[in-house]
Each structure stands twice: as structure tokens, then as C-alpha cells.
Amino acid sequence: MREVDLRSDTVTRPTDSMRRAMAAAEVGDDVMREDPTVRRLEEMAAARLDKPAALFVPSGTMANLASLLTHCPRGAEVILGDQAHIFYYEQGGAAALGGIHPRPLPNRPDGTLDPADIEAAVRPQDVHFPRTRLIALENTHNRCNGAPLSPDYLRQVGALKDRLGLRLHVDGARIFNAAAALGVSPAELAAPADSVTFCLSKGLGAPAGSLICGSRDFVEEARRMRKVLGGGMRQVGVLAAAGIVALTEMVPRLAEDHARAGQLAAGLEGLPGIRVVPAALRTNIVYLDIAPEGPPAAELAAALAARGVKMLAASPRRLRAVTHHHISAADIDHTVAALDRLQRAPH
Ligand code: TLP
């Protein structure tokens, strides 16, 4: 049976080219800053985002946490979306481990926060309140339909945080997807932010690793945070080598994943019992709402999995499908046919 795994782009396995680079990687002790491959990856990441420095960390979750810990002292407040990965999917780590108070604002369907809401949420000087320190955005926005945030919007929030004396962090786990969909450079998307993180282990296909990009001072401090979180790794050039291949060989092909996601959305359009959440600009994420009379998302996901197609139940009535480099046009046809058959004859 054909297996089509659309649960996430995190399921991607390293390419042959990555495996060759990993086997040949020159390594050293990276806590002692002696791993030449890690240093090369960090320089490359900083250059791609046009930031002075970058730091290699094990995961996107640690990249966000180390960044927030670097920006915010205990008791400071971060303004972020109620659908943000940092707020929704990271165990509240910034609060649990860093004493950072979250101030969630409603995400609009396009992944943005209303700048007027941001401004209204900033705390005045008052002994009762935490001190607002940081705004955190997400690009592309995972739970908001994979929507890319535009350079104009990011500049607007960048100007706002400058005026308000705040800082801006962007969880850019999929920032290269955003850049590809918008037809702009990742550096343009990163420019208004004080810190930007991105992941190598999602659409870019590397086995592990994320980067934190920012000023030299910021990255130096984030390096301390990485160490206290247990993220100081040793001969980790073997992973960085795959990351270098990811940045050079996998970024240019992301548009293919977006085309596959568009193919999936178009194919599922009009299927009974399912509504494709429409996207103004499609990246690699497609959400499907199940009609009230249909089964719960977990049940539909299990029935689909029994037919070789894996999706994620993102909430009780919503499925998520994510395209990536293992997903071909034929896989999408197979997926549409499987869901079509299931919707017409569930048993
Ligand atoms: N997202 C995963 C799950 O955690 C939901 C996925 O399958 O999409 N920021 C964003 C925007 C993310 O989507 C993710 C992972 C992370 C951060 C965390 O990255 P990791 O998994 O490397 O800690």
C-alpha cells in the first residue's frame, strides 16, 4: 500500500546528499567553539537573514525559548498570538522555566496581530503590572493556515515596537516557505526583527536543528541560554553538515511543496463533508474542517491512516495536511481519492 505521510514536514528524512555531507563532516567540540562545520552553518544562516550572527540549537522549541530568555528578565511580559506555536505548543516553557508572562492577543486568520491591539496591550508604568518587553510573531503561521506574514506588515510592527521601546522576535520556523510564497528574500522578512529563529528539520529536510539569528551581543547571550537549557552539543558538525545542504539544496525547491499543497486544496474542494480552509497565499499547510455531521478529526485521521494516508488532528474538528519533499503529485492524487472514497462510503 502506498503511504503518504502528511502529518508534518517534520517527518522528512535526510536526503542522500545530506547523508554524504554528514559522513564527511569535519567536526570539533562546539561548546569550545571548535566545530568548523557548525561555524560555517552559523555564518551561512546569519548571511541568509542578513543578521550579524547566528547560533545553532537542537530544536525550534529551544530556539524560541533561548530567544525569549535572552530578551526577557523574569516577570517581563511578551505579547504574542493566542494561536502562536510559542503559546500553544511549547508547554508554556517561557513561563515555566523563565518566569516570562505571556499576554496572548487574538490572532487574525492571516496570522497577524492587530497593531492597535498590540499598542493597547502595552502596560503603563504601574506597580501592579508586569513590564512589557517583547512582541513575538510567527512566519509562516502554523495554526493560521500556514499564512506568510508580509514584509509590509512586519515593517509596520517593527516601527511600532521601536516607537514603544519594545523588541520583536519572529518564530520563523518556516520563514523560507514565507519568502518563497511571497517572492521576497528571507532577509527582507527578518529585517524589522531583533531576533529570528528558523528550523532546518521541517520543509528543509535536515534531521535536526534550528538557528537563532540576531545581533552579536544577542547571540552571545543566547549561547549562554542554550548551555543552561542543556543544548550545548559537542561534535555536532555532523548535524550542521546536513543543515548546510538544507540551506543550499532544499530552499530553492520549497515552491514545489506549495504547488502540491495547492493541488491538494483544489482536489479536496467540493468533497462532501469537508471544507478546505481557503488561503490567500498557499504555503505547505492545508487545514480541513469537518462538517458537524461528520466524525471527529481523530476518527477521520485513523480511518485515513488505515488507507495509507496520514494527517494530523489539529483540533477536534480540524485536520492538518503538510506537504514536503517526499510528497509527489501522485501522492496528492492518492490522498484525494482516499478521502473521496471515505467521505462517500465511510465503512
Ligand atoms: N511544529 C510542529 C508541532 O510542534 C506542531 C509541526 O508539526 O508543525 N515553531 C513553529 C511555527 C513550529 O511549527 C514548530 C514545530 C516549532 C516552532 C518547534 O520546532 P521543534 O519541533 O523543532 O521544537
Side-chain angles (χ1 to χ4, degrees), residues 8 59-61 64 85 89-90 138 142 171 173-174 202 320:
S8 183
S59 69
T61 300
N64 283 328
H85 196 278
Y89 286 124
E90 297 182 11
E138 187 173 316
N142 183 345
D171 173 357
R174 298 184 179 83
K202 302 196 164 58
R320 186 186 77 165

Side-chain angles (χ1 to χ4, degrees), residues 54-261:
L55 181 74
F56 186 48
V57 297
S59 69
T61 300
M62 191 185 287
N64 283 328
L65 181 55
S67 298
L68 264 62
L69 289 171
T70 304
H71 283 300
C72 299
R74 294 186 73 79
E77 192 165 68
V78 54
I79 293 173
L80 78 184
D82 59 358
Q83 300 301 311
H85 196 278
I86 294 175
F87 184 65
Y88 208 95
Y89 286 124
E90 297 182 11
Q91 279 193 28
L97 306 181
I100 300 166
H101 194 245
R103 183 78 185 274
L105 301 179
N107 269 117
R108 296 186 289 197
D110 64 358
T112 60
L113 301 177
D114 185 335
D117 288 352
I118 297 177
E119 188 154 4
V122 176
R123 306 280 193 163
Q125 286 288 356
D126 184 307
V127 75
H128 296 88
F129 297 141
R131 290 190 173 119
T132 311
R133 176 76 168 166
L134 182 68
I135 303 166
L137 298 175
E138 187 173 316
N139 200 9
T140 63
H141 201 296
N142 183 345
R143 283 185 65 84
C144 293
N145 214 19
L149 305 186
S150 71
D152 275 352
Y153 175 73
L154 291 158
R155 276 193 288 269
Q156 194 186 348
V157 177
L160 183 64
K161 67 95 188 169
D162 284 343
R163 180 158 64 76
L164 298 171
L166 304 177
R167 296 184 185 177
L168 174 61
H169 171 73
V170 172
D171 173 357
R174 298 184 179 83
I175 200 166
F176 290 97
N177 294 84
L182 293 160
V184 301
S185 71
E188 189 176 349
L189 297 175
D194 299 287
S195 58
V196 182
T197 56
F198 71 83
C199 294
L200 298 166
S201 58
K202 302 196 164 58
L204 301 185
S210 294
L211 277 300
I212 300 173
C213 305
S215 70
R216 278 189 201 290
D217 286 351
F218 181 85
V219 167
E220 259 327 284
E221 196 56 24
R223 188 181 289 276
R224 284 186 60 81
M225 297 305 166
R226 179 183 73 173
K227 190 71 178 74
V228 76
L229 294 174
M233 298 181 285
R234 302 297 176 171
Q235 288 71 30
V236 74
V238 287
L239 287 179
I244 290 170
V245 175
L247 281 179
T248 46
E249 295 179 8
M250 303 301 273
V251 170
R253 57 155 308 286
L254 289 174
E256 289 174 36
D257 298 341
H258 301 173
R260 293 286 89 81

